Amino acid sequence: MGTERKRKVSLFDVVDEATATAKVNKANGGGAVHGINTTTTGGMPLVNRWNGRPYSQRYYDILEKRKTLPVWHQKEEFLKALKDNQTLILVGETGSGKTTQIPQFVLEAVDVESADRRKKFMVGCTQPRRVAAMSVSRRVAEEMDVTIGEEVDGMLLREAMTDPLLERYKVIILDEAHERTLATDVLFGLLKEVLKNRPDLKLVVMSATLEAEKFQGYFFGAPLMKVPGRLHPVEIFYTQEPERDYLEAAIRTVVQIHMCEPPGDILVFLTGEEEIEDACRKITKEVANMGDQVGPVKVVPLYSTLPPAMQQKIFEPAPSPTTEGGPAGRKIVISTNIAETSLTIDGIVYVIDPGFAKQKVYNPRVRVESLLVSPISKASAHQRSGRAGRTQPGKCFRLYTERSFNNDLQPQTYPEILRSNLANTVLTLKKLGIDDLVHFDFMDPPAPETLMRALEVLNYLGALDDEGNLTKLGEIMSEFPLDPQMGKMLVVSSEFNCSNEILSISAMLSVPNCFVRPREAQKAADEAKARFGHIDGDHLTLLNVYHAYKQNNEDQSWCYENFVNHRALKSADNVRQQLARIMARFNLKLCSTDFNSRDYYINIRKAMLAGYFMQVAHLERTGHYLTVKDNQVVHLHPSNCLDHKPEWVIYNEYVLTSRNFIRTVTDVRGEWIVDIAPHYYDLENFPQCEAKRVLEKLYKKREKDKEESRNRR
Ligand code: CDP
Ligand code: MG
């Protein structure tokens, strides 16, 4: 053949709805391929059409494995269905090869099909979870034998802001649709509109379990394609009695399996980083104590904030026996529900399911959104047990009673859109030009009260005018991938002459907690933290940490010695750069107040208040705090750095546990409140409370001061 073709076909773009766009093949200038020789010898292509290089041995090795995936056998059927329809729904059990294969099938078909070779086409595949987007794009790059790109930015919704018809894309694949994340649901509605206006665009909706009819009905009766199910049977065990402590029960079950059951890896579902790390430590210790009677174990954690290199460990094989002929080794993966459907780990034979996951809940009445450990749904439990039967018959241990499974678990997980604060979503939709939110085609429309709350918040922030139209300020705020409060704080920070500092604080608030407190060195860790402490507030403490990190040249050992997480700070630095670029785009000045000025910290605190005036608590004479307007009793989180109990505080987060805490708090003054946010602190619609009486006095004082200064003039 040996034809030389000039063309621009962008390879493969994995788009994470939430955060990440990982571009495959940077070697070719950001994904575009030029002038490729496709040589064929005896029917066997030797050269990779995507980069013009010979295929590696690994490519052929993986190819053999790919050929065994259920999806592989339906390639022709899938491509025909895609050709004949604009929208296609594909349902297949986890591990059948949807995520890794379908984008490649589509890409080949699009490439062959596209008449105008100079035109650039993209195939986008969205993942609700960043971890999955990264892991899957790495895998697909490997399978295609190309170099993975390093760019990680944006998300499909954000792209739609500048490219409303998503014209860069020829095919969009919405993966993990059953997860029904906020972003997926918004994309559903948006893509429905785009499809009407772009007959050439195709949409593939993929899912593990799906209320297929509901999806078909929603997507204009799109055809449904099914990929055959799981490979092996899974035996399910329940506990006789409810477990009091699921963590302890899970650890006990792991140890029992390791002692008594035949070889096979274990997957345990827990709810979050802390719990997972704790379990990893305890299991490793217990197994070590058992000595040579049992085989060696490799215990690997998996959660979203784990660095990518650590995440790869879940794919490593189980350890070999310590002595020849000795007991077999076992891999034990302790994961959040990332491993439920997004990532498939082969070789799992035993699953332990305590029946809980961290889930978002939102109470629009008191405007509180929080992550709560709550019972999973039956659909989730079913998915979890399915993970045990990938390579051979497996066992699933549910740490709850059969009765509880039947009577207490809901059939499906509630879509996230029904349990979220929608301020950010509404701002995004407004920016996308969707004005009539009430009639927007949501698959499950959110409660009117939640939408009203979101509109109200955006109106108070000045992002929407009284008619609900996006203001100039709102336009800019919508460009920041942040909560509207934080966006507002950033946009106005130049006016308070402290945008450099507010940028750093925003970045620090956007990454996981940077303070490390190892069990064996708690005192030293607390002392280290106290050295960064700022008596007026935790936000300022975070700023101190960031400054110290930069002054010490971002040094990793400095971080270690000072009990701060290097990874978190590095990522804060990244976020900061990203935000600074957006500031520059809108000509928002980067400035600082002189550090020696009395106003240095005051300006920063005022700018924060300008964004967070709806997250204020007042200290009552009884000695506890009440949130302003909602009048909820809250306590300062024990992690705070304050040396006093300020009369007014702004807080970043409301933590619902057995007690209600506000976390990351900073002292602000009543005088600033009445200056900066009089529209929100309008006493005419303010519930009777102590804060109101204090505010009344402050308003009077303000009037008096104004009059005096007038008289003096
Ligand atoms: O999307 P679906 O659950 O249908 O399957 P998939 O994620 O495409 O996985 C297909 C196969 O690729 C499984 O056997 C996975 O174990 C394997 N895989 C892998 O080895 N490494 C990855 N990073 C992702 C998938
Ligand atoms: Mg998948």
Side-chain angles (χ1 to χ4, degrees), residues 61 81 153 157 162 257-258 264 290 329 377 409 439 545 578 616 677:
D61 294 345
D153 55 34
L157 271 178
T162 45
I257 293 173
H258 189 50
M290 293 193 290
S377 65
L409 300 194
H439 294 105
V545 174
Q578 193 190 331
V616 170

Side-chain angles (χ1 to χ4, degrees), residues 98-99 175-176 341-342:
K98 300 182 299 298
T99 307
D175 200 1
E176 302 279 312
T341 61
S342 319

